[in-house]
Amino acid sequence: MRQHVNPLSRNFAEIERIPFLIEMFGDPKLKLHLDIGCASGEFLFDLALVNTSWNYLGIEIREKLVKTAKLKVIEREIKNLYFVFGNAHNILNDVNSQFIFKKIKSISFNFPDPWFKKRHHKRRVIQPEFINTLSNSLQKGALIFVKTDVKDLFDYMDWTISSNFNFKIIDKKDLNFIGSFNPNKLKTNREKYVIDNQLNIFERIYIKI
Ligand SMILES: C[S@@+](CC[C@H](N)C(=O)[O-])C[C@H]1O[C@@H](n2cnc3c(N)ncnc32)[C@H](O)[C@@H]1O
C-alpha cells in the first residue's frame, strides 16, 4: 500500500507552470482533456495512442512519476500528451496557467485519494474552493468526470460539485451527442484493480452551464 502524498505539505508549494499549448502539443487546436491525479499516466498514454483528435494533459503531485512519464513521451515521440508536476490546486490557481481554462473540454478525477479520516478531508483533491475556481473559469459546456470505489468519497465529491449552481449532472447517454475524451471506455490502473476485485464503482458527469 503506497503512502498518500499530503498535498498541503509545504514540499508541494512549488509547482510547474503549464506551458503554452504550442509548447505542449503538436496540434494545439485539438480538443483538450485534463486528468487530475494521473499517477504514472498509463491511462493517458493509452488514450493518446487511440484518440489522436484529442490532446491530453495530466497533473500529478508525485514528481518522480511525472519525470518518468515526461521521458516516456519524448522517447515515444507522442505529440498529443503532456504531464505537469504539482498540486493541481496551486497549478490551476497560478495566474500564469489560467489561460488553460479556455481550452479545456473536460476534466477527470479518477479514483482520487480518499483520505478517510475526517480531519484529513481537507487534503482531498475536490474542495469547494477548487470547484469554485473551476466554476468561475471553465467554459460553458465543459465536463467534469468523477469516479471512485469509495462511497463516502463519492457522496462528498457529488455534494461539493452539485452545491455549485454552475454545474449540472448529465446522463452518460448524453455523451453520445457531446463526445467523450474516452470513447473506447479505457480503464485507469485503479479501475482495473477495482473491476478485478469486483468492487463497486461510483461515477458521475457534470456539465458547466
Ligand atoms: C489513488 S491515485 C489514482 C491514480 C489514477 N487516477 C487511477 O485511477 O489509477 C490518486 C492520485 O492522485 C494524486 N494526487 C492526489 N492529490 C493531488 C493533487 N492535489 N494534485 C495532483 N495530484 C494529486 C496522487 O499522488 C495519486 O497519484
Side-chain angles (χ1 to χ4, degrees), residues 11 35 37 44 55 57 64 67 75 85 89-90 94 101 127 137 145-146 148 150 161 164-165 170 180-181 197 201 207:
N11 300 342
D35 188 43
L44 294 181
N55 285 326
L57 175 60
K64 235 176 163 178
K67 277 189 177 153
E75 270 165 28
F85 155 71
H89 298 168
N90 300 346
D94 175 16
F101 286 118
Q127 294 292 333
S137 315
F145 294 74
V146 301
T148 178
V150 180
I161 302 176
N164 187 304
F165 296 125
I170 64 160
S180 166
F181 72 98
N197 288 280
I201 294 180
I207 189 163

Side-chain angles (χ1 to χ4, degrees), residues 2-205:
R2 91 179 154 83
Q3 204 56 32
H4 292 158
V5 165
N6 174 6
L8 303 180
S9 146
R10 251 189 260 146
N11 300 342
F12 300 108
E14 197 189 316
I15 49 144
E16 199 185 323
R17 176 184 74 81
I18 300 181
F20 295 120
L21 291 172
I22 191 77
E23 299 172 76
M24 294 192 285
F25 303 116
D27 181 354
K29 289 190 295 299
L30 299 184
K31 290 167 284 184
L32 178 62
H33 177 77
L34 169 64
D35 188 43
I36 294 184
C38 61
S40 56
E42 280 164 52
F43 175 57
L44 294 181
F45 278 96
D46 292 346
L47 285 166
L49 192 70
V50 290
N51 303 311
T52 48
S53 60
W54 281 82
N55 285 326
Y56 294 94
L57 175 60
I59 293 183
E60 169 54 49
I61 201 166
R62 286 185 284 162
E63 191 168 19
K64 235 176 163 178
L65 296 184
V66 175
K67 277 189 177 153
T68 309
K70 278 179 189 272
L71 283 176
K72 251 164 70 175
V73 169
I74 295 168
E75 270 165 28
R76 298 182 187 178
E77 300 182 7
I78 303 173
K79 302 291 179 209
N80 61 335
L81 177 58
Y82 199 90
F83 293 94
V84 171
F85 155 71
N87 179 344
H89 298 168
N90 300 346
I91 293 172
L92 293 171
N93 278 315
D94 175 16
V95 281
N96 294 311
S97 295
Q98 289 185 348
F99 72 91
I100 205 71
F101 286 118
K102 298 270 166 291
K103 310 290 172 190
I104 293 172
K105 289 271 179 259
S106 50
I107 303 183
S108 50
F109 295 89
N110 290 309
F111 303 88
D113 291 334
W115 294 107
F116 289 107
K117 291 182 187 150
K118 198 159 182 23
R119 68 189 158 91
H120 287 161
H121 283 186
K122 56 181 183 292
R123 297 181 185 176
R124 288 176 168 174
V125 67
I126 289 194
Q127 294 292 333
E129 309 77 54
F130 186 49
I131 293 304
N132 208 21
T133 301
L134 298 183
S135 126
N136 290 333
S137 315
L138 287 170
Q139 297 284 86
K140 280 192 182 140
L143 302 176
I144 295 182
F145 294 74
V146 301
K147 240 183 216 191
T148 178
D149 52 301
V150 180
K151 179 73 168 71
D152 169 66
L153 175 64
F154 175 78
D155 290 341
Y156 164 84
M157 295 193 292
D158 183 46
W159 180 83
T160 306
I161 302 176
S162 298
S163 303
N164 187 304
F165 296 125
N166 283 328
F167 291 110
K168 194 183 93 184
I169 295 169
I170 64 160
D171 199 278
K172 247 183 175 180
K173 281 187 268 125
D174 296 336
L175 282 182
N176 297 334
F177 306 104
I178 303 173
S180 166
F181 72 98
N182 183 11
N184 313 86
K185 302 188 175 43
L186 301 178
K187 313 282 184 241
T188 73
N189 283 348
R190 175 70 195 174
E191 190 165 10
K192 288 176 194 165
Y193 170 89
V194 165
I195 291 169
D196 288 347
N197 288 280
Q198 299 180 354
L199 303 173
N200 288 323
I201 294 180
F202 308 94
E203 57 184 313
R204 196 150 268 177
I205 308 165

